[in-house]
Amino acid sequence: DDLDRATESAVAEAGGGEVVDSERDDGRYEVEVRREDGSVVEVTLDDSFAVVGSETDDRDDDGPAYDRMLTGEELDRVTAAALAETGGGTVTDAERDADGTYEVEVRRADGTEVDLRLAGDLSVVTAQPDDD
């Protein structure tokens, strides 16, 4: 219910689009909305879902200035590379960062988690246990 209310307020503030990330921090909601033109608006809401601020993340000539979730063939390629590195498991989160690298979280069958950073060519930059 809270996510639905936060989504409704944030999308209205952004003038339409799709929520790509949300979190609650210190009694406020921070919701990122990707508009149809590709720009991303970060909307901050108070605990009653009223807008207290918004900011558009600018894009530069090198591509988006924000992280984006992966889908389709790109997600399939990144998943295969991550699971090859970890020896199997389930990808629980994957996104492409503004710098062109990939962040991937994998949960192994034994319940342990591994955070990976892959280069644009899918080579492993770092792989470390998730201690959270």
Side-chain angles (χ1 to χ4, degrees), residues 4 11-12 34 41 45 52 69 72-73 87 90 105 119-120 125 131:
D4 291 340
V11 169
R34 181 175 299 125
V41 179
L45 308 167
V52 296
M69 303 305 291
E73 185 179 313
T90 302
E105 296 174 12
V125 176
D131 297 325

Side-chain angles (χ1 to χ4, degrees), residues 20 37 58 87 97 108 115:
V20 294
D37 68 1
D58 296 324
D97 289 347
R108 293 181 173 146
D115 291 333

Side-chain angles (χ1 to χ4, degrees), residues 28-114:
R28 294 184 177 210
Y29 296 89
E30 296 175 2
V31 182
E32 292 181 10
V33 178
R34 181 175 299 125
R35 295 175 176 154
E36 286 188 30
D37 68 1
S39 64
V40 173
V41 179
E42 184 174 312
V43 181
T44 304
L45 308 167
D46 66 16
D47 60 359
S48 64
F49 307 99
V51 175
V52 296
S54 66
E55 180 178 334
T56 301
D57 289 340
D58 296 324
R59 295 195 296 171
D60 60 6
D61 293 338
D62 296 325
Y66 52 86
D67 300 343
R68 66 175 172 78
M69 303 305 291
L70 305 179
T71 58
E73 185 179 313
E74 183 179 32
L75 176 59
D76 293 343
R77 289 192 329 269
V78 170
T79 295
L83 296 182
E85 174 66 20
T86 61
T90 302
V91 171
T92 58
D93 189 34
E95 61 185 39
R96 184 160 187 158
D97 289 347
D99 66 4
T101 62
Y102 296 96
E103 285 186 47
V104 186
E105 296 174 12
V106 175
R107 180 174 297 122
R108 293 181 173 146
D110 66 4
T112 60
E113 296 185 358
V114 179

Side-chain angles (χ1 to χ4, degrees), residues 3-21:
L3 178 58
D4 291 340
R5 292 176 67 192
T7 295
E8 183 179 324
S9 293
V11 169
E13 172 68 16
E18 171 187 19
V19 172
V20 294
D21 193 22

